[in-house]
Amino acid sequence: MRPSPQSPKLGASACVWRDGRVLLIQRAKPPVGLWSLPGGHVGFGETALAAAARELIEETGVVAELSEFVGLYEVIHKEPPIHYAIACYCGHWKSGEAAAASDALSAEWLAPSELEGLEFVPNIRAAVARSRLLLKL
């Protein structure tokens, strides 16, 4: 079986915390409206960590000290054929005020209790929970 040109692709995301709140974006690209961590494609020659930091700035204007590897999360769809492996990193806010830019409809700092009822792209709840453990929040 020959792989499709759509798969697999490497992505990176950032799970950033400030004062007990996590930074989430609402997607402007499919799946539009779902909540996610800031992130995107890893460019050729770019490390996943560098891509996570770059995407964070591009999508939200926030700079963070990404200190921990949260995990590798896969998103696989048959139609349309998509396969992403997303390296997630977490850390603490350093500077910048969260504002939606690039691929985001909105960017919000949310307390863990405010996540109930939000619709997320796959694996976000698991990444947020693991990052809290890693950062001892």
XYZ file of all heavy atoms in Angstrom, residues 21 79 84 108 118:
49
model
N -3.861 29.207 34.476
C -4.717 29.140 33.287
C -3.906 28.667 32.090
O -2.741 28.999 31.957
C -5.333 30.504 32.979
C -6.271 30.990 34.055
C -6.774 32.401 33.724
N -7.799 32.832 34.651
C -9.090 32.525 34.568
N -9.518 31.762 33.588
N -9.953 32.961 35.447
N -11.133 10.081 5.785
C -11.693 11.008 4.791
C -11.830 12.393 5.387
O -12.583 12.555 6.347
C -13.058 10.508 4.304
C -12.980 9.445 3.255
C -12.179 9.834 2.025
O -12.341 10.973 1.524
O -11.384 9.011 1.557
N -1.424 13.125 11.180
C -0.470 14.018 11.837
C 0.078 13.332 13.073
O -0.655 12.689 13.818
C -1.143 15.309 12.303
C -1.422 16.291 11.199
C -2.695 16.432 10.689
C -0.400 17.087 10.686
C -2.966 17.337 9.676
C -0.659 17.990 9.672
C -1.937 18.119 9.180
O -2.196 19.011 8.174
N -7.533 32.393 24.256
C -8.051 32.634 25.604
C -7.219 31.900 26.656
O -6.807 30.757 26.453
C -9.494 32.122 25.718
C -10.462 32.712 24.732
C -10.849 34.138 25.042
O -10.751 34.538 26.226
O -11.233 34.845 24.101
N -16.506 22.664 26.320
C -15.856 23.119 25.092
C -15.598 21.922 24.179
O -15.317 20.828 24.644
C -14.525 23.805 25.388
C -14.569 25.091 26.199
C -13.167 25.633 26.391
C -15.455 26.127 25.536
